[in-house]
Amino acid sequence: MNFTVGFKPLLGDAHSMDNLEKQLICPICLEMFSKPVVILPCHHNLCRKCANDVFQASNPLWQSRGSTTVSSGGRFRCPSCRHEVVLDRHGVYGLQRNLLVENIIDIYKQESSRPLHTKAEQHLMCEEHEDEKINIYCLSCEVPTCSLCKVFGAHKDCEVAPLPTIYKRQKSELSDGIAMLVAGNDRVQAVITQMEEVCQTIEDNSRRQKQLLNQRFEALCAVLEERKGELLQALAKVQEEKLQRVRGLIRQYGDHLEASSKLVESAIQSMEEPQMALYLQQAKELINKVGTMSKVELAGRPEPGYESMEQFRVSVEHVAEMLRTIDFQPGASGEEEDEEVALDGEEGSAGPEEERPDGPEGLH
């Protein structure tokens, strides 16, 4: 069933009417022009009342129409283009009326007062029966048609119903479908909002866990640094003790060497004495000193391997292997982790004084 549909031209007319209405708006009151409409020298239009308001505001001393005082006119600026409008003694009443715009306003108001459905019905005609309106709906073929098509035409064996009934029914169905679709969109939007909140929560929780992880490893590094300082201090202490002992022996051997050298020098000088009597007076004493000096026993030298510091070698392989096993504990809560960090810090500060040895024997 083919029929002529006039909705598209009608929609075009409605769009044109909207555009026309925009052209009939006064730039001052922002309403449709009210007659009389005056045209300015710049070809813009104003309601005469609005033009008079603007003119009076720009010329407060100008006498109104009907005054006995003769005025020399005035001027104001067009609100659309700011062109200066110079008026004679008649003021805005001396401006020319735009009868064309006034007629267009009258036609627009007449067309706007006509119901849209009347226009639509005038354009909705059956193509097979040009003088027949589309007034029924074929339920079998699911198309609008006319009465003659039901009686004589292609739909004479079909079940039909009044067009307004089907119109209301399908409009109700479409309205319900739209409502369901809107409700479904609301649910989808709610799900999107929830997932966005989940993303934000994931970011917040990840940021918090990263912070806790950094704190844990910083605390671990602090423990390692503290222990390294203690071991270095113990090593430096033993180093200083050994150096003091060896340097003391060096000073003792040096003093003995200096005294022995002086005694050798004195003995050599005595042996060069040509007179036997003088030589014999000093010889006995020198012989005793040389004998005594040669019998002096110096303190023992450092035992073999005394200089070795191998006892301070630290094995960290097992500790490194243990550190590599550090992993996440999914069952631990955030509060437990915070408490563990605090306890680790307290144990790290108390441990060196109570448990850790100061000497090298505890460093193997």
Side-chain angles (χ1 to χ4, degrees), residues 6-7 9-11 13-15 17-18 111-124:
F7 289 112
L10 184 60
L11 292 175
D13 292 343
H15 183 68
M17 294 291 284
D18 291 338
E111 288 295 323
S112 299
S113 62
R114 295 171 61 185
L116 291 178
H117 68 275
T118 302
K119 301 176 186 178
E121 290 174 358
Q122 291 175 354
H123 289 80
L124 191 59

Side-chain angles (χ1 to χ4, degrees), residues 24 130 174 214 238 320:
L24 299 178
E130 296 180 356
L174 181 59
N214 287 329
V238 175

